[in-house]
Amino acid sequence: MAEPLQFVYRTQKEIGVTDAAPVYLPVPGFVKPEGNLRCAVYSPCGRYLAWASNERVSVVDASSGHVLATIIVANVFDVAFSPHGTYLSTWERPAKDENGDATKNLKIWRTTEEITDGAEKQPMGRFVQKSQTGWNLQYTSDEKYCARLVTNEVQFYSSDDLATVWNKLRVEGVTDFAIAPGQSYNVAVFVPERKGQPAAVKVFNVPQFSSPISQKTFFKGDKVQLKWNSLGTSLIVLAQTDVDKSNKSYYGETTLYLLSANGTLDARITLDKEGPIHDVSWSPNGKEFGVIYGYMPAKTTIFNHRAVVSHSFPLGPRNTIIFSPTGQFALVAGFGNLAGQIDVYDLEKDYKKICTIESGNPSVCQWSPDSRYIMTATTSPRLRVDNGVKLWHVGGGIMYHEDMVELYNVSWRPCLPENLPRGDPLNPVPTPHDSALKYLGTVKTPSKPVGAYRPPGARGTSTPLHFRREDEGGAAHVVSNGTSSVGPNGFGRPRRQVPGADLLESGVRSVPGANPAQVPGAAGDEGLSKTALKNKKKRNNKKAKETEDQGSSNSLAPPPQEYGPSSGNEGRSPERRGNHQQNHQRHHRSRSRHNAHGSNNPERNRSSNHQNGQASRAIPQVNTSQPAADSLLSPGGQNPASKKLRGLQKKIRAIEDLEMRLASGEKLEDTQMKKIATKVTVLKELENIDKDPQAI
């Protein structure tokens, strides 16, 4: 007999159990617990539901809601069941006893057992488990054996006797393990990179631990996810590093490997799109798996159990793939920082796309056990607003909606395959609940499709190729890692590029006016050691200094400069440049950072002698043949005479700027008018310097 679908939810104040289609009502016999509730978990077989509070753990019948067992244990943060629901595990926060020893916070209980009146339920086994990650025991499918990880070994127990260790798998440096489902007792262990040795994944058969039946060694593996198929015959290894040495990703590098339990296959899965691996998932039939990989828009591909491509879906912003429990459908979605779209495909009908669901921003997405419905939920603490549960039909329509306050978790009740209803999940389409119709009435349908902003001049035209995404016909996004590879869609443009300037061919930057930098290896340096390169650099610097000293002794003034970056005429009008072409060296503009004598904005200091048709008083000409005067104007001159000369020139430019502002009708302050009156004095000082430079 088919059992009705059911789901449990836990909010800030209560735990509730709801029967899904077609009634959508709370389970009548279940009394909602209230208070500080930390977890609510179904058993894998679907018979039991357990929840924990500060004082106790309760186990109820999932169908009726009646309490079957109560365990008096405080501060339980997590609970879990064995595959058949025979055993219950509880995990408490680590603590220390009176002697300073760690308390045994992992306890194993029988789910249901007869106890005498007044007696308390006692655990079967106790262990010290500090970390909540991977805290529970791992069981074989028939619950005959269970195992837990300790330092450098995996300990196996008989499930009904946890007091003594049944067997040990000794592996130096093991950090993770996974027991395979199915009838074969296989276990996979992972050893990360250590002291230059590659990481390794080894598969053993219980209890033959002398040699592995399959193994794979690889680098770039700080941590892994071990994913067995439902038959226990193939293992997917998703390896990840903490740091990406190529600097292409903040989250490390990811690689994918496939191992067979009998040792006939151990290979790296080659992916044809560059980028991280977002998700990988086995189909329930155990014969195919799906991978989402590559930079966005990502690519989704279905492989068979031999890692041969079966089908590839269109590119899109997706990062999650989940197969339905019957294996007929697969949903490919984009959650997290993506838009929350869910694409549903029928794998039995040539991978036909059924629908696209706009789910919003869910943090939970699960198939119902009969593959007819998809549950999405927004939970806290990821988002504390718009918390609630939505049920969607596989055809795309919404069936049920309920808003909740601070929803923490929600999950379907598992159901055994023999108890599932038969028939086509797509037809007939069930009748939506009233809450779904009410929800559809509140959703605003945009009158126009929402897209990226386009300026008025570009509206009504097609998007240029270099602005299109890869799934819209644009070129692939390639991470160049600093190289100057410019693709046809504009990605990878080199940084610090000056508009209109020629591109620098070599990768070596240079300072304007300085000697060109030597490229390492250009002069045969590639064979030299660090010490030899350092000594060679010292010799070159010494030679350059000697050459510079000789040049300065032969000539007291620098060579004449035309209008260039350091000529002092940049930013001036052509008329002013013409007037001072002969006196260029004497009127070289100072590049000092000091704004002497209260000069205004330097943009205003670009004066002209012919503004408004009036020529300002000309500065007396100086015979540039005098070497002493030229030496005063040299850019590197640091003597007091050259400083005073530059200061007087700056005063003249500031006064000319004030005269132009006064001529244009601007009202000046008293201090500015006094500054204009000092022009005659400044000009006389310049004349004295020109006549006798040594008198300063």
Side-chain angles (χ1 to χ4, degrees), residues 73-76 89-98 100-109 123-131 135 148 155 157 162-164:
V73 56
N75 298 322
V76 172
S89 305
T90 61
W91 183 85
E92 307 164 27
R93 178 175 292 178
K96 294 184 178 181
D97 56 15
E98 297 177 354
D101 299 327
T103 59
K104 296 182 177 181
N105 56 327
L106 170 58
K107 300 175 182 178
I108 314 300
W109 318 74
M124 298 173 50
R126 304 168 186 259
F127 304 97
V128 176
Q129 180 64 38
K130 296 181 179 180
S131 174
W135 65 271
R148 65 186 298 261
Q155 296 179 349
Y157 299 84
L162 301 180
T164 57

Side-chain angles (χ1 to χ4, degrees), residues 334-388:
F335 298 137
N337 59 346
L338 301 179
Q341 292 181 330
I342 302 175
D343 297 330
V344 183
Y345 296 92
D346 192 336
L347 306 183
E348 296 180 356
K349 294 183 179 179
D350 198 21
Y351 302 95
K352 177 183 177 182
K353 183 177 179 178
I354 300 174
C355 65
T356 297
I357 299 174
E358 299 289 344
S359 63
N361 50 4
S363 49
V364 175
C365 182
Q366 296 177 0
W367 282 99
S368 65
D370 60 356
S371 301
R372 293 176 183 268
Y373 302 94
I374 299 172
M375 173 193 289
T376 62
T378 303
T379 59
S380 297
R382 182 181 177 270
L383 287 175
R384 298 189 181 274
V385 295
D386 298 332
N387 285 187

Side-chain angles (χ1 to χ4, degrees), residues 311-334:
H311 181 76
S312 292
F313 296 109
L315 300 179
R318 304 290 184 265
N319 59 7
T320 303
I321 180 170
I322 307 175
F323 290 88
S324 65
T326 59
Q328 180 180 352
F329 307 106
L331 67 82
V332 182

Side-chain angles (χ1 to χ4, degrees), residues 476-544:
H477 173 29
V478 178
V479 178
S480 60
N481 191 23
T483 59
S484 58
S485 58
V486 181
N489 61 343
F491 290 107
R493 181 175 292 110
R495 297 180 178 179
R496 307 193 184 197
Q497 175 179 336
V498 180
D502 294 334
L503 295 178
L504 185 63
E505 296 297 333
S506 64
V508 180
R509 298 174 181 172
S510 61
V511 179
N515 294 329
Q518 293 293 333
V519 181
D525 296 344
E526 60 274 4
L528 299 179
S529 64
K530 292 184 178 180
T531 306
L533 287 173
K534 188 175 181 180
N535 294 334
K536 183 177 180 180
K537 186 177 179 181
K538 289 181 178 179
R539 291 194 298 269
N540 293 339
N541 293 339
K542 185 176 181 180
K543 290 180 180 179

Side-chain angles (χ1 to χ4, degrees), residues 457-627:
R459 294 172 186 171
T461 61
S462 60
T463 304
L465 177 64
H466 55 280
F467 286 128
R468 293 183 185 177
R469 272 188 344 208
E470 186 177 353
D471 56 336
E472 296 174 347
H477 173 29
V478 178
V479 178
S480 60
N481 191 23
T483 59
S484 58
S485 58
V486 181
N489 61 343
F491 290 107
R493 181 175 292 110
R495 297 180 178 179
R496 307 193 184 197
Q497 175 179 336
V498 180
D502 294 334
L503 295 178
L504 185 63
E505 296 297 333
S506 64
V508 180
R509 298 174 181 172
S510 61
V511 179
N515 294 329
Q518 293 293 333
V519 181
D525 296 344
E526 60 274 4
L528 299 179
S529 64
K530 292 184 178 180
T531 306
L533 287 173
K534 188 175 181 180
N535 294 334
K536 183 177 180 180
K537 186 177 179 181
K538 289 181 178 179
R539 291 194 298 269
N540 293 339
N541 293 339
K542 185 176 181 180
K543 290 180 180 179
K545 187 175 181 181
E546 292 176 355
T547 305
E548 183 179 353
D549 293 341
Q550 292 177 0
S552 60
S553 61
N554 295 333
S555 176
L556 296 177
Q561 298 179 353
E562 298 298 331
Y563 297 104
S566 59
S567 64
N569 287 311
E570 63 275 14
R572 299 190 182 184
S573 62
E575 295 84 352
R576 183 170 177 82
R577 290 179 182 174
N579 287 342
H580 295 277
Q581 186 172 4
Q582 296 179 353
N583 304 330
H584 168 64
Q585 289 295 336
R586 187 167 60 85
H587 294 288
H588 175 73
R589 174 173 293 182
S590 171
R591 295 185 178 272
S592 173
R593 296 183 180 179
H594 299 285
N595 196 1
H597 295 278
S599 62
N600 295 323
N601 190 343
E603 293 295 333
R604 294 186 174 181
N605 291 341
R606 300 173 181 178
S607 58
S608 172
N609 290 336
H610 297 276
Q611 294 289 341
N612 300 326
Q614 298 179 0
S616 60
R617 184 178 302 177
I619 300 176
Q621 302 293 323
V622 180
N623 186 3
T624 58
S625 62
Q626 298 180 12

Side-chain angles (χ1 to χ4, degrees), residues 218-385:
F218 50 89
F219 287 97
K220 298 182 180 180
D222 296 330
K223 54 186 176 181
V224 298
Q225 296 181 35
L226 304 174
K227 296 177 179 285
W228 285 100
N229 64 347
S230 59
L231 305 176
T233 57
S234 298
L235 173 68
I236 288 178
V237 180
L238 178 58
Q240 184 176 358
T241 60
D242 295 329
V243 178
D244 184 2
K245 295 183 179 179
S246 63
N247 294 328
K248 294 182 179 180
S249 173
Y250 290 109
Y251 309 104
E253 298 179 76
T254 52
T255 49
L256 200 62
Y257 302 93
L258 180 64
L259 285 76
S260 61
N262 55 12
T264 58
L265 177 66
D266 57 337
R268 176 177 176 176
I269 301 175
T270 303
L271 304 176
D272 57 357
K273 188 174 182 4
E274 185 182 7
I277 299 173
H278 304 285
D279 194 16
V280 57
S281 177
W282 277 104
S283 171
N285 59 27
K287 299 178 181 179
E288 58 185 0
F289 60 92
V291 185
I292 301 180
Y293 57 95
Y295 295 109
M296 292 295 167
K299 187 174 184 179
T300 304
T301 302
I302 304 296
F303 297 85
N304 64 11
H305 65 287
R306 303 292 296 181
V308 178
V309 176
S310 301
H311 181 76
S312 292
F313 296 109
L315 300 179
R318 304 290 184 265
N319 59 7
T320 303
I321 180 170
I322 307 175
F323 290 88
S324 65
T326 59
Q328 180 180 352
F329 307 106
L331 67 82
V332 182
F335 298 137
N337 59 346
L338 301 179
Q341 292 181 330
I342 302 175
D343 297 330
V344 183
Y345 296 92
D346 192 336
L347 306 183
E348 296 180 356
K349 294 183 179 179
D350 198 21
Y351 302 95
K352 177 183 177 182
K353 183 177 179 178
I354 300 174
C355 65
T356 297
I357 299 174
E358 299 289 344
S359 63
N361 50 4
S363 49
V364 175
C365 182
Q366 296 177 0
W367 282 99
S368 65
D370 60 356
S371 301
R372 293 176 183 268
Y373 302 94
I374 299 172
M375 173 193 289
T376 62
T378 303
T379 59
S380 297
R382 182 181 177 270
L383 287 175
R384 298 189 181 274
V385 295

